[in-house]
Amino acid sequence: MKKAAWFFGLVALSGCTAEETSAIGYSLNSSLHAWDMGGFSYHDATVYAQASIPIEIAQKWKNRGFSSEDAKKWSAAGYSPDEARDARDEGIIAPADIGDWTSRLHRAIGQSDIPHDEVVTYANASARSGFTPEDVAAVVTGTNLKMDDTRGVIMAATRVHQGVSIVQVERDDEIGKALATKNAVAEAEKAKASELSRLNKAYGSDVIDACHGSPENELMTAQNIANPYAAAGKCFTIHIGWLSTPQWLNANQALFISNVPSLPAILVSGDGPLKIGAAAVIMGQSPQQYTSALGTLETPLTVRVLKYFTE
């Protein structure tokens, strides 16, 4: 009798729309009601439920564009929804068996604590390059390359899989690293020379020499605010009098009281009249203390103008 009911139910379902089929399916299986509330078709609900994928994880698969069948396949291979999406974005159509990769790497290398994300990276790369866990093991045990250097190991494992000897792979790796180091040093020197040229053009070699390098530093750091002595001997770039009110001591010196309560006063001096609002390179000095109108001893940030410049 049950077989007959199932048969007639199947016949009835075969003539229904997808929405009607889901409605009928859910009405016959109340245990999947939560999936209906979650916006899943009855078909997808049964696929996920049979694969023991919780509804909250199924929602992630759905949000990342996987059908229930594909999600079941990738999940069974050991991928999370994010890992599967990343692999698919890299052009990988079929998932590798992460469980198989993990066990084979453990056996071949004798290391049981290989991070899951590293295994996924190797498995994904193998889908494109064809190398095996044993090729990876040969590289890690036969060269100075480490498992966490996935890029280097993948390149070497690919060559091993193509028939290149471990000895040759290791020799080429050492040559490549030496060349990369040489190129990195050359690039660093080039960048340093370019930056020095820019600084000389912007401020002049006299300023760069006086500052022992770049003056492009921030004056109002927590350290300088807490300890005005910390700025002594260091160079900074500022706009004279920015967001502050000057109290002139003479034409070449003024105490600037900040309009921002949390910022300290700055005592600025120069070899000539101060140019309010101008961009300048300044150098911190030993603080010049004074007694305020309230009778308290004040220790302001004290700086001297080295040079004005045009921005």
Side-chain angles (χ1 to χ4, degrees):
M1 191 68 181
K2 289 183 178 180
K3 289 184 177 180
W6 175 86
F7 174 77
F8 287 115
L10 182 61
V11 171
L13 288 176
S14 66
C16 296
T17 65
E19 292 78 9
E20 291 170 336
T21 299
S22 282
I24 295 172
Y26 281 124
S27 70
L28 296 174
N29 193 343
S30 59
S31 65
L32 296 178
H33 181 67
W35 293 85
D36 188 18
M37 295 297 97
F40 291 89
S41 70
Y42 181 71
H43 168 77
D44 289 342
T46 57
V47 172
Y48 283 121
Q50 289 170 2
S52 298
I53 298 175
I55 188 169
E56 61 272 14
I57 303 301
Q59 192 66 59
K60 292 182 178 181
W61 284 108
K62 183 178 179 181
N63 291 342
R64 284 152 184 76
F66 286 84
S67 67
S68 56
E69 286 83 0
D70 284 344
K72 177 181 178 181
K73 180 172 60 176
W74 285 86
S75 179
Y79 287 79
S80 71
D82 286 336
E83 290 168 344
R85 178 194 57 193
D86 293 342
R88 193 173 61 179
D89 289 346
E90 293 174 11
I92 298 171
I93 299 174
D97 189 332
I98 302 302
D100 181 59
W101 262 84
T102 301
S103 61
R104 287 169 67 182
L105 282 174
H106 288 173
R107 288 197 304 271
I109 299 176
Q111 180 181 339
S112 61
D113 57 349
I114 303 172
H116 174 76
D117 60 337
E118 288 182 12
V119 178
V120 171
T121 298
Y122 286 121
N124 288 345
S126 75
R128 294 188 298 272
S129 303
F131 62 83
T132 66
E134 290 70 31
D135 294 326
V136 172
V139 170
V140 173
T141 58
T143 72
N144 292 322
L145 290 168
K146 305 299 182 184
M147 278 294 291
D148 58 1
D149 180 10
T150 54
R151 182 175 181 274
V153 173
I154 286 170
M155 293 175 63
T158 301
R159 298 189 67 206
V160 168
H161 190 72
Q162 294 169 344
V164 180
S165 70
I166 284 293
V167 173
Q168 185 64 48
V169 167
E170 185 172 29
R171 184 182 298 117
D172 291 345
D173 179 62
E174 292 173 353
I175 293 173
K177 286 181 177 178
L179 182 60
T181 300
K182 181 179 179 180
N183 290 339
V185 170
E187 285 298 319
E189 291 296 328
K190 182 179 177 180
K192 182 178 178 181
S194 176
E195 176 65 2
L196 182 59
S197 175
R198 183 188 70 81
L199 293 172
N200 281 326
K201 184 177 180 180
Y203 308 109
S205 59
D206 54 336
V207 168
I208 304 307
D209 291 341
C211 295
H212 304 291
S214 173
E216 296 175 346
N217 302 304
E218 177 61 44
L219 177 63
M220 291 301 180
T221 63
Q223 181 183 31
N224 292 340
I225 291 173
N227 177 14
Y229 289 90
K234 300 175 183 177
C235 289
F236 311 91
T237 53
I238 66 169
H239 287 83
I240 302 296
W242 183 69
L243 291 180
S244 58
T245 302
Q247 294 182 3
W248 292 96
L249 305 180
N250 56 61
N252 301 345
Q253 189 177 48
L255 179 68
F256 291 91
I257 308 298
S258 176
N259 297 334
V260 181
S262 61
L263 297 181
I266 306 175
L267 182 62
V268 182
S269 60
D271 295 332
L274 296 180
K275 301 178 181 179
I276 304 299
V281 175
I282 58 172
M283 177 178 282
Q285 308 292 300
S286 181
Q288 182 178 328
Q289 295 179 316
Y290 68 94
T291 301
S292 71
L294 299 176
T296 59
L297 184 65
E298 301 291 342
T299 307
L301 277 169
T302 303
V303 302
R304 180 173 63 87
V305 174
L306 294 184
K307 189 174 187 178
Y308 295 98
F309 65 93
T310 302
E311 293 183 289

